Amino acid sequence: MKEKKFDILLLLHLMFGLLVLGISIYVNVTESYQLFPLLFVLMGVMFLIIGLREYKRTKNFWWGIFFLGIALFMLFVAAQGIVN
């Protein structure tokens, strides 16, 4: 049987996913939309980690570029939310 290795990217993915989920639930319950820039930063980092995991898993350069583009867009949206 093949033994699974501990993957730090999976741990980071789960941690950022839980943070995004928690902040999303808080925003929906309180209807306080001031945390949206933080939410977008965390989602951008999460998509960056997803891209790294997919590239590491499949060795397909295009999936890494796809998720990197999504991460950069999310970070751009977060920066726009912070500035405005």
Side-chain angles (χ1 to χ4, degrees):
M1 255 175 98
K2 193 174 185 181
E3 186 176 322
K4 288 211 167 210
K5 294 180 189 176
F6 177 74
D7 189 12
I8 190 72
L9 290 176
L10 177 64
L11 178 65
L12 288 173
H13 180 204
L14 291 174
M15 283 178 21
F16 280 104
L18 289 174
L19 280 171
V20 166
L21 180 68
I23 292 174
S24 298
I25 290 172
Y26 175 78
V27 165
N28 280 333
V29 168
T30 62
E31 295 181 3
S32 171
Y33 301 109
Q34 296 172 351
L35 292 178
F36 266 0
L38 175 65
L39 184 66
F40 285 130
V41 167
L42 291 175
M43 286 176 62
V45 172
M46 188 175 71
F47 277 114
L48 182 65
I49 292 170
I50 290 171
L52 290 172
R53 283 185 62 214
E54 282 298 313
Y55 176 72
K56 184 178 170 184
R57 185 178 65 88
T58 63
K59 302 293 184 202
N60 189 348
F61 180 70
W62 294 110
W63 278 113
I65 293 295
F66 176 70
F67 282 110
L68 178 65
I70 292 173
L72 290 175
F73 176 73
M74 295 298 288
L75 292 173
F76 174 75
V77 169
Q80 288 293 320
I82 291 170
V83 170
N84 290 334

